[in-house]
């Protein structure tokens, strides 16, 4: 038997509850993992509250990532006792996820845990940090180097934003951090931000083109914010877009793209190919210091607390990461 949060749907209503399940209930897969830690992400919050139709089948165990130890494997690439990490691949949507003490998944979804991190530290990074690394790599591929100018990070006090600021600073970039929480200025500057940008200057409808202020950007907000970010990007700059906290719409014009050659790059962390996943985790292992990770911090909660915390996460009351100790 093992504990798990389970989402059921009855008469159109979602209900998340902590349940005790038999191992025989686990879905099909080549590798069984004893989970040490998972996280609570925005998508998990949507799934558990039912505020968005994230879950595709029921019952569902939420949790889009986890880190733990292989206990059984028919995949030759993984063996019992090996530490692994998993991000995305439909966990918590179409396949049982990480907010449980056990998981059974396809071997192709797993990657070996980098030696630089413990399973707890890997989940302090979580899918948010892994996504941040994908965004940084996207900017690098477009030739946005530190000498080209500053990088803007929106939603900077959140999970993706915090790791983005720390990574970019470690790589030598000048970082502009956008947040709607002025009390986070000292926190963001400690991570490496040189300038704080008021979120309100980006979140309202703006001009098709604005002053060229940044060479690149990492945006986890979407909507008017993303439109204004693109409008303020320098000639031949690039914007990596990975989130929709403000909305899924994109009320922009083509002006930044055809008049300045700005590149808008969509970053998907869910179905990202394995080689890019490995490269992103390698970037984190090499450039995200434990000191920075500890500064970002993480609230550690139990499985039984995760359901209540999901609502607070959606209301924007959480800074940084929420790690779930599934065995506490």
């Amino acid at each position: 038997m093992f504990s798990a949060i389970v989402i059921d749907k009855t008469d159109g209503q979602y209900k998340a509850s902590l349940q005790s399940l038999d191992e025989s209930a686990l879905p099909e897969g080549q590798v069984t993992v004893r989970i040490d830690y998972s996280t609570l992400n925005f998508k998990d919050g949507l799934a558990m509250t039912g505020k968005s139709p994230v879950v595709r089948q029921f019952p569902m165990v939420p949790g889009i990532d986890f880190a733990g130890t292989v206990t059984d494997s028919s995949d030759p690439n993984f063996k019992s006792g090996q530490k692994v990490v998993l991000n995305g691949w439909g966990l918590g949507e179409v396949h049982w996820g990480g907010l449980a003490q056990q998981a059974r998944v396809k071997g192709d979804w797993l990657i070996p845990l980098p030696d630089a991190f413990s399973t707890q530290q890997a989940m302090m990074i979580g899918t948010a940090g892994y996504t941040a690394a994908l965004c940084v790599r996207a900017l690098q591929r477009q030739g946005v180097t530190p000498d080209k100018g500053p990088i803007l990070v929106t939603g900077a006090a959140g999970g993706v934003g915090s790791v983005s600021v720390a990574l970019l600073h470690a790589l030598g970039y000048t970082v502009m951090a956008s947040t709607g929480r002025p009390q986070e200025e000292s926190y963001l500057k400690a991570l490496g931000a040189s300038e704080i940008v008021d979120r309100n200057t980006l979140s309202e409808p703006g001009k098709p083109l604005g002053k060229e202020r940044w060479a690149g950007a990492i945006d986890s907000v979407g909507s008017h914010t993303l439109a204004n970010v693109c409008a303020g990007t320098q000639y031949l700059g690039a914007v990596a877009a990975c989130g929709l906290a403000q909305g899924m719409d994109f009320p922009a014009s083509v002006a930044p793209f055809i008049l300045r050659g700005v590149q808008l790059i969509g970053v998907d962390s869910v179905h990202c190919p394995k080689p890019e996943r490995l490269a992103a985790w390698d970037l984190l292992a090499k450039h995200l210091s434990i000191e920075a990770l500890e500064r970002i911090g993480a609230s550690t909660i139990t499985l039984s607390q995760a359901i209540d915390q999901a609502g607070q996460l959606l209301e924007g009351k959480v800074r940084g990461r929420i790690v779930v100790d599934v065995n506490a």
Side-chain angles (χ1 to χ4, degrees):
M1 303 295 291
F2 65 96
S3 296
I5 292 177
V6 179
I7 304 172
D8 289 296
K9 184 178 181 181
T10 304
D11 297 328
Q13 299 295 313
Y14 284 45
K15 182 179 180 181
S17 61
L18 183 62
Q19 300 182 20
S20 181
L21 303 176
D22 189 272
E23 187 175 334
S24 62
L26 287 169
E28 294 184 358
Q30 293 82 42
V31 185
T32 303
V33 179
R34 183 183 70 247
I35 299 174
D36 295 334
Y37 297 93
S38 183
T39 65
L40 190 63
N41 293 273
F42 193 80
K43 186 178 287 186
D44 301 319
L46 293 174
M48 283 192 278
T49 60
K51 291 188 176 180
S52 181
V54 171
V55 179
R56 309 295 177 82
Q57 59 188 47
F58 298 87
M60 177 58 60
V61 174
I64 65 173
D65 53 22
F66 65 74
T69 306
V70 174
T71 57
D72 184 72
S73 176
S74 60
D75 186 318
N77 295 309
F78 296 97
K79 59 184 179 180
S80 181
Q82 185 174 3
K83 300 291 185 181
V84 292
V85 62
L86 194 155
N87 304 95
W89 290 120
L91 258 66
E93 300 176 71
V94 296
H95 192 93
W96 281 16
L99 290 174
Q101 293 175 325
Q102 291 192 52
R104 185 173 292 138
V105 297
K106 294 182 179 180
D108 288 345
W109 296 351
L110 295 165
I111 66 168
L113 179 69
D115 292 338
F117 304 122
S118 67
T119 52
Q120 183 177 19
Q121 290 166 339
M123 287 298 98
M124 289 174 69
I125 297 168
T127 293
Y130 148 71
T131 302
L134 291 175
C135 289
V136 171
R137 283 183 49 79
L139 295 182
Q140 290 176 324
R141 284 196 300 272
Q142 293 298 322
V144 182
T145 50
D147 61 292
K148 297 293 179 64
I151 305 298
L152 174 70
V153 177
T154 66
V160 174
S162 294
V163 177
S164 294
V165 171
L167 266 183
L168 289 165
H169 174 68
L171 289 164
Y173 290 88
T174 299
V175 183
M176 302 169 67
S178 170
T179 181
R181 294 179 261 175
Q183 68 272 21
E184 303 291 11
E185 178 174 351
S186 60
Y187 162 73
L188 291 168
K189 287 189 172 179
L191 287 179
S194 298
E195 180 181 343
I196 305 301
V197 177
D198 187 344
R199 177 178 64 192
N200 293 328
T201 64
L202 298 171
S203 60
E204 300 297 327
K207 298 178 180 179
L209 277 179
K211 181 180 177 181
E212 297 177 60
R213 299 180 62 190
W214 36 80
I218 294 176
D219 176 67
S220 59
V221 179
S223 191
H224 290 292
T225 297
L226 178 56
N228 287 319
V229 167
C230 292
T233 301
Q234 296 173 10
Y235 187 76
L236 296 184
V239 177
C242 65
L244 41 74
Q246 186 180 7
M248 191 179 290
D249 59 323
F250 183 45
S253 79
V254 298
F257 313 117
I258 63 174
L259 297 180
R260 290 185 182 162
V262 171
Q263 299 290 312
L264 177 58
I265 311 158
V267 175
D268 167 52
S269 64
V270 177
H271 297 104
C272 180
K274 193 165 186 175
E276 185 60 23
R277 291 171 179 267
L278 292 167
W281 276 99
D282 183 62
L283 181 70
L284 289 161
K286 290 178 178 177
H287 297 286
L288 183 64
S289 68
I290 299 302
E291 179 184 6
L293 185 57
E294 290 177 348
R295 183 172 284 119
I296 292 169
S299 303
T300 300
I301 63 174
T302 64
L303 270 179
S304 61
Q305 295 172 316
I307 297 172
D308 289 336
Q309 284 282 308
Q312 294 188 35
L313 180 64
L314 295 187
E315 293 171 5
K317 296 179 179 179
V318 177
R319 184 185 82 184
R321 311 288 303 124
I322 302 178
V323 173
V324 183
D325 183 346
V326 300
N327 298 297

